[in-house]
Amino acid sequence: MTALPYLASSTGFGLRRLVHNVRYLVFALGLPLGFYLLYNAMYGRDRVGGVAFSLVLMVAMATFGAVGTTLNSAGTQTALDREAGWVRQLRLTPLPPWAYVAGQLAVAMVASLAAVCLIAVAALAVNRIAPSPAVAEGVAAVWLGSASYAAIGLALAYLLDASTVGYGALIAYLASGFLGGLWVPLSLLPPWFTTVAHLLPSFHIADMAWRLVAGRPVPLGDVGVLALYAAAFGALAAHLYRRRG
Amino acid sequence: MAESPEEAARVQDLGYRYGPRWALTGVDLEVRAGESLAVLGPNGAGKSTLIACMLGLLAPHRGTVSIYGTTPRAAARAGRVAGMLQGATLPQFASVLDVLRFAARLYPAPLSVERAAALTGVADLLRRPVDRLSGGQRRRVQFAMAVVSNAPFLFLDEPTEGMDIEGRADLWRIVREHAAAARERTVVFTTHDLSEADRHADRIVLLAGGRVVAVDTPGALKARLARRRVRFAAPPGVTAQLLSRRTGLAVVPCASGFEVATDDSDGALRALISLDLGLYDFRTAEGSLDEVFHALVAKESGDGVAVSGE
């Protein structure tokens, strides 16, 4: 068998496991959706910097959902698989070890796509906005940007173990949400929050998408920071994977 | 390295250590294609470490392992081995059917999932999430994963651990059927249960303290190990050393006086009586395999870890 069918098997199996994990999906998809509907009901008619707040909020909550799903699929689930001996069991099969890891990343990106699309569909439906290329670009940017969190999740999975990965992922999730300026607009917070936010990939994902939905060009600074994060954590994960398997 | 075609695995001078403690030292072993080989020994003898090295899960610190003339990893990549490991090795959030389908897809010539499920008695568990299986059911599903692969070389590490008596009997029946269904299916299993090795293995490797103590067929091991005992009492002043020196037998003290373990009880009796030392109360007894086995293992591992038998 060549490489592709292994990857397809691994991803397909991972996706089946994802949809079996109903309680998790309710939280991971429900939390950002709930926040979206709540804030939208409160401030949906406002405008921020010439853009409808509902769109700003859509980007923020899509990012929040994408961060949570990628951290869980690539991070928590991978750490649990290692602890459960499943990764060890797979070593006895013809599945190349990289195909398992790549499958986990692919599942993370599919979960992230679901989270992002859910928020986008909700935003369009609730606010009766017509889908536009700018909105589509913003949504795609959030999804692609969340690849950096898939890398972070994978690094966490190899850095931590099953008993601690949940905390690690939760801290990364909440910090990315609050400090990244996804829950409360940074303009309402003291200036040092903005300084901190610029260090977090979640801010750069949202910032990239905010600019796109406002019809502005792709901000290369955000793209650069996200690529750096993805490369750094990807390299860390690869290093730890080679040492710990 | 020349490999005969009927050789499934070759282990040479294998050594593995956890920190400074050697779990295996100088292990040499040949597994013949089509045989069922039991790796028998007490807990801590190195059985699972040996299996892990043979499967390529652990990289040996000394020596080599070859499976079908290649590395363990290459044999696994080629789909020529399947294993049932100790402990829970099933993924969360998947049904039994999902797991078996996934496993089947990875191998070049798998059995159908339906067939493997029927064979291993998990057909009525297929829709069940793996998380909601009992310990014995999990073992069964792990076993079904190995069976569905249809791989020619099966490694079963303590396969009956956590199973009830009925489950055990069932598992061994399936192993036999599954092995018989393919030409030259090789099975290596570990157990600390002497009777299990006796009944289900063509050959037994006796492992103790990380070393191979004996390798032979159960029958030959019995013939070699299960020696008769001659027991007797003696008047005061007669010592084991004296008796040993004068007869050339290994006479040791026991609860009822003295004891000799021997292959030739008649000869031993004649030698002892002809000493004319007034020895009395002679009895001969079949040596129990368990007992001798235990002594052998205890001698080798330097402790008295019990070897259970049924």
Side-chain angles (χ1 to χ4, degrees), chain A residues 117-164:
Chain A
C117 287
L118 180 71
I119 299 296
V121 168
L124 298 182
V126 173
N127 298 297
R128 298 203 187 87
I129 312 171
S132 71
V135 170
E137 279 169 20
V139 166
V142 170
W143 179 61
L144 291 172
S146 69
S148 58
Y149 276 91
I152 292 170
L154 199 61
L156 286 178
Y158 288 98
L159 211 52
L160 306 174
D161 59 20
S163 60
T164 49

Side-chain angles (χ1 to χ4, degrees), chain B residues 70-254:
Chain B
T70 65
T71 64
R73 189 60 213 139
R77 287 283 284 117
R80 302 187 77 186
V81 302
M84 179 176 172
L85 301 174
Q86 274 199 71
T89 57
L90 294 171
Q92 285 182 298
F93 310 117
S95 70
V96 172
L97 182 64
D98 290 340
V99 171
L100 294 183
R101 273 196 186 141
F102 173 64
R105 221 173 291 138
L106 299 177
Y107 284 85
L111 296 184
S112 77
V113 169
E114 294 70 27
R115 172 116 185 271
L119 194 65
T120 53
V122 300
D124 50 346
L125 299 177
L126 286 176
R127 300 281 159 198
R128 193 88 69 84
V130 167
D131 322 50
R132 266 185 253 150
L133 298 174
S134 73
Q137 288 170 333
R138 293 181 73 93
R139 290 306 271 161
R140 242 169 217 277
V141 172
Q142 286 180 290
F143 181 54
M145 247 188 99
V147 166
V148 81
S149 76
N150 202 22
F153 203 149
L154 230 53
F155 286 89
L156 310 173
D157 195 2
E158 303 267 356
T160 54
E161 191 84 7
M163 284 188 177
D164 55 21
I165 294 171
E166 207 176 313
R168 284 173 185 234
D170 230 28
L171 181 122
W172 286 117
R173 180 182 55 74
I174 300 158
V175 170
R176 256 196 316 279
E177 281 174 20
H178 183 57
R183 209 176 63 84
E184 305 231 303
R185 177 121 49 209
T186 310
V187 180
V188 170
F189 67 95
T190 67
T191 180
H192 55 264
D193 184 335
L194 185 61
S195 64
E196 208 163 60
D198 186 9
R199 264 179 283 160
H200 305 294
D202 299 320
R203 289 195 307 149
I204 296 175
V205 180
L206 185 53
L207 213 59
R211 293 174 183 281
V212 173
V213 181
V215 188
D216 222 324
T217 62
L221 277 180
K222 272 186 212 162
R224 204 163 107 204
L225 299 177
R227 309 167 91 188
R228 280 173 166 258
R229 310 276 171 116
V230 176
R231 293 201 179 99
F232 54 93
V238 176
T239 65
Q241 286 93 326
L242 173 80
L243 294 167
S244 297
R245 202 178 61 236
R246 302 247 333 243
T247 58
L249 298 164
V251 180
V252 293
C254 73

Side-chain angles (χ1 to χ4, degrees), chain A residues 1 6 8-10 13 16-18 20-21 77 80-81 83-86 88-97, chain B residues 52 55 57 73 76-79 81 83 85 88-95 98-99 102 105-108 142 145:
Chain A
M1 219 194 296
Y6 283 122
S9 295
S10 182
F13 183 60
R16 289 197 70 86
R17 294 173 66 195
L18 179 69
H20 273 99
N21 198 348
Q77 293 309 322
L80 289 175
D81 279 356
E83 186 90 352
W86 178 238
R88 199 171 141 83
Q89 179 74 48
L90 289 178
R91 290 261 160 114
L92 311 185
T93 72
L95 187 77
Chain B
L55 285 168
L57 293 173
R73 189 60 213 139
R77 287 283 284 117
V81 302
L85 301 174
T89 57
L90 294 171
Q92 285 182 298
F93 310 117
S95 70
D98 290 340
V99 171
F102 173 64
R105 221 173 291 138
L106 299 177
Y107 284 85
Q142 286 180 290
M145 247 188 99

